């Protein structure tokens, strides 16, 4: 079984999303080594290996280098820790989620290089200064480029001859559990209805002002927010008796929260960090057949505007939530039928199978043999760290 090495800016045990969905399925075909960003620690550098699923090993470097992410000062240490990942003579497939790890390609002698661009990381808060340079180098070296949605595809397709759009998909069976209201999570049992809920990372992409206005406009609405708070000052979070923070929860718990909600929320801020996002949760909400309201995110509005209510201003958003709560049983049934039709056309199984097919049939450009000059040039410059939870 061929080795697939994945360099990712997200921790495996962070929010279960695109990397985990794809890798747990691709593990049917590859022995996967999932390389996380380094953890700062005292003592000698070492590589902690943890088997997290069949054919998937998470490799977590521990170093005493006082810089986070795949910082340039980390590179020499990481190269030493990763030098014997694959047997001598084996040529692995190397898969990048972050261009910042590109210098670690040296010495791996890859059979194929894949860039799965799931987010426009340069648009996130405090990106490394070298991120755009590294991405340009990675696009030059990569044999295949995947994008996490149509907006990203439009931004990258002219920069690579073998780019493919793979929008976020859904594990429909998992989220259909939410059709049974009886499984509603016990941690929200004390929260009265109606419940309007959101799950996901609460960061600069989350419109705190919108949620604050919603809570003030309808004190009887109970707003349930499930997920970790990242890169937001707690003082900026909306606080009210009808806003409930449930913290980060496991993937298995999400259908339980969904089961107890009346309306699902996609309250994304309209800024640079959300310009290219393709939220996984929109299809998960649909699989649960829950009415949903979103701000006009392109990758929600364009493909799903006939199923998800789209609202631009806070007043429009609140009005849309009011309409969703007031829908008749017949209206809800018609919406659920449209949702089922959308969900039936996609799955993570289909997405991973198509990706595997493209990898199997790709003609290697071998641009990473020998070590790419462009990458070496980039290493000479200093880089700021990429936050571990940047996405």
């Amino acid at each position: 079984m061929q080795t697939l090495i994945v360099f990712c800016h997200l921790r495996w045990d962070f929010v279960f999303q695109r990397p985990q969905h794809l890798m747990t399925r691709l593990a049917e075909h590859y022995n996967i080594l999932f390389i996380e960003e380094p953890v700062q620690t005292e003592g000698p550098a070492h590589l902690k290996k943890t088997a997290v699923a069949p054919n998937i090993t998470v490799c977590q470097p521990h170093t005493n280098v006082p810089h986070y992410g795949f910082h340039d000062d980390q590179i020499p240490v990481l190269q030493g820790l990763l030098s014997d990942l694959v047997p001598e003579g084996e040529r692995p497939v190397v898969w990048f989620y972050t261009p910042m790890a590109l210098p670690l390609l040296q010495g791996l002698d890859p059979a194929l290089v894949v860039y799965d661009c799931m987010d426009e990381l340069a648009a996130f808060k405090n990106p490394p200064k070298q991120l755009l340079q590294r991405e340009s180098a990675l696009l030059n070296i990569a044999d295949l480029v995947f994008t996490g949605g149509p907006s990203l595809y439009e931004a990258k397709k002219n920069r690579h001859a073998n780019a493919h759009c793979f929008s976020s998909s859904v594990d429909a069976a998992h989220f259909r559990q939410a059709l049974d209201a009886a499984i509603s999570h016990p941690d929200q049992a004390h929260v009265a209805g109606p419940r309007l809920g959101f799950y996901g990372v609460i960061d600069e992409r989350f419109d705190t002002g919108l949620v604050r206005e919603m809570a003030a406009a309808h004190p009887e609405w109970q707003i349930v927010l499930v997920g970790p708070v990242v890169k937001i000052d707690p003082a900026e979070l909306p606080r009210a008796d009808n806003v409930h923070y449930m913290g980060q929860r496991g993937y298995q718990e999400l259908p339980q929260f969904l089961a107890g909600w009346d309306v699902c929320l996609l309250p994304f801020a309209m800024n640079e960090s959300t310009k290219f996002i393709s939220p996984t949760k929109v299809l998960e909400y649909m699989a649960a057949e829950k009415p949903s309201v979103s701000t006009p995110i392109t990758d929600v509005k364009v493909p799903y505007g006939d199923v998800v209510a789209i609202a631009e201003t806070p007043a429009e958003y609140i009005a849309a939530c009011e309409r969703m709560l007031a829908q008749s049983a017949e209206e809800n049934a018609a919406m659920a039928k449209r949702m089922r039709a959308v969900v039936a056309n996609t799955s993570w199984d289909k997405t991973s199978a198509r990706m595997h097919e493209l990898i199997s049939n790709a003609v290697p450009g071998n641009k990473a043999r020998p070590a790419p000059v462009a990458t070496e040039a980039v290493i000479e410059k200093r880089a700021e760290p990429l936050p571990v939870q940047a996405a």
Side-chain angles (χ1 to χ4, degrees):
M1 185 175 282
Q2 188 174 20
T3 299
L4 172 62
I5 298 175
V6 182
F7 290 103
C8 192
H9 55 290
L10 299 170
R11 300 288 180 204
W12 181 269
D13 60 0
F14 189 50
V15 175
F16 198 93
Q17 50 190 304
R18 183 183 180 95
Q20 291 90 337
H21 278 296
L22 291 174
M23 295 307 142
T24 51
R25 289 160 173 82
L26 289 171
E28 179 182 348
H29 309 285
Y30 304 96
N31 176 33
I32 296 174
L33 301 176
F34 189 90
I35 314 300
E36 294 186 347
E37 291 183 330
V39 174
Q40 189 173 349
T41 187
E42 298 297 328
H46 62 279
L47 191 64
K48 179 182 177 182
K49 295 183 179 181
T50 306
V52 295
N55 295 332
I56 301 178
T57 301
V58 171
C59 301
Q60 187 180 79
H62 288 246
T63 77
N64 59 9
V65 179
H67 297 287
Y68 294 100
F70 293 109
H71 190 279
D72 284 346
D73 286 359
Q74 297 276 9
I75 298 303
V77 180
L78 296 178
Q79 286 175 328
L81 292 177
L82 304 177
S83 61
D84 59 351
L85 272 183
V86 295
E88 186 175 352
E90 180 180 348
R91 301 188 64 200
V93 174
V94 181
W95 182 302
F96 289 92
Y97 277 108
T98 171
M100 292 305 295
L102 183 58
L104 296 172
L105 188 61
Q106 298 183 45
L108 290 178
D109 192 17
L112 209 70
V113 177
V114 179
Y115 177 28
D116 187 13
C117 182
M118 64 178 282
D119 285 304
E120 188 67 90
L121 295 179
F124 282 49
K125 190 175 182 180
N126 301 323
K129 294 177 181 178
Q130 291 177 304
L131 184 57
L132 291 177
Q133 292 173 301
R134 290 268 167 93
E135 184 182 58
S136 293
L138 177 53
L139 287 168
N140 182 57
I141 291 170
D143 299 291
L144 279 170
V145 173
F146 304 142
T147 68
S151 293
L152 273 173
Y153 177 71
E154 290 300 316
K156 308 297 179 185
K157 67 178 183 180
N158 293 328
R159 301 179 63 190
H160 197 279
N162 200 8
H164 304 266
C165 180
F166 286 102
S167 298
S168 293
S169 195
V170 64
D171 181 349
H174 181 68
F175 288 95
R176 284 196 189 109
Q177 296 177 78
L179 295 173
D180 180 6
I183 71 166
S184 179
H185 204 292
D187 286 358
Q188 63 186 4
H190 69 285
V191 179
R195 300 189 190 110
L196 295 84
F198 165 89
Y199 63 74
V201 181
I202 300 172
D203 58 13
E204 73 266 33
R205 297 169 294 176
F206 185 85
D207 193 334
T208 55
L210 170 58
V211 173
R212 188 176 292 109
E213 290 194 43
M214 289 176 60
H218 283 278
E220 76 280 11
W221 289 358
Q222 303 302 313
I223 300 173
V224 180
L225 305 176
V226 178
V229 177
V230 179
K231 296 187 293 180
I232 288 185
D233 185 340
E236 296 179 14
L237 295 174
R239 301 288 182 183
D241 290 341
N242 61 334
V243 179
H244 309 271
Y245 292 91
M246 297 292 175
Q248 183 172 345
R249 298 302 180 111
Y251 182 67
Q252 299 302 320
E253 296 176 87
L254 299 183
Q256 294 176 275
F257 281 101
L258 274 174
W261 295 351
D262 300 288
V263 174
C264 292
L265 305 175
L266 294 115
F268 290 106
M270 300 304 295
N271 56 35
E272 283 300 309
S273 68
T274 60
K275 185 177 179 180
F276 298 102
I277 65 170
S278 181
T280 303
K281 63 184 62 61
V282 65
L283 286 169
E284 295 169 350
Y285 290 169
M286 285 191 208
E289 298 182 12
K290 296 290 183 179
S292 302
V293 182
S294 177
T295 49
I297 298 298
T298 300
D299 285 6
V300 176
K301 179 180 178 180
V302 173
Y304 310 125
D306 62 330
V307 184
V308 177
I310 305 297
E312 294 194 16
T313 68
E316 291 173 353
Y317 200 97
I318 292 167
C321 290
E322 292 169 347
R323 290 196 305 274
M324 294 297 102
L325 288 169
Q327 283 190 149
S328 66
E330 291 77 13
E331 288 172 321
N332 281 330
M335 179 176 286
K337 183 178 180 180
R338 295 198 300 274
M339 290 178 174
R340 287 193 293 271
V342 171
V343 171
N345 288 326
T346 184
S347 73
W348 286 114
D349 291 338
K350 292 179 181 177
T351 298
S352 62
R354 178 59 180 150
M355 287 179 166
H356 173 58
E357 181 183 1
L358 287 168
I359 292 171
S360 300
N361 294 329
V363 178
N366 291 321
K367 293 183 179 179
R369 304 185 78 187
V373 175
T375 305
E376 293 174 346
V378 170
I379 294 176
E380 294 174 1
K381 301 181 180 180
R382 308 291 291 182
E384 294 301 319
L386 179 64
V388 167
Q389 297 172 342

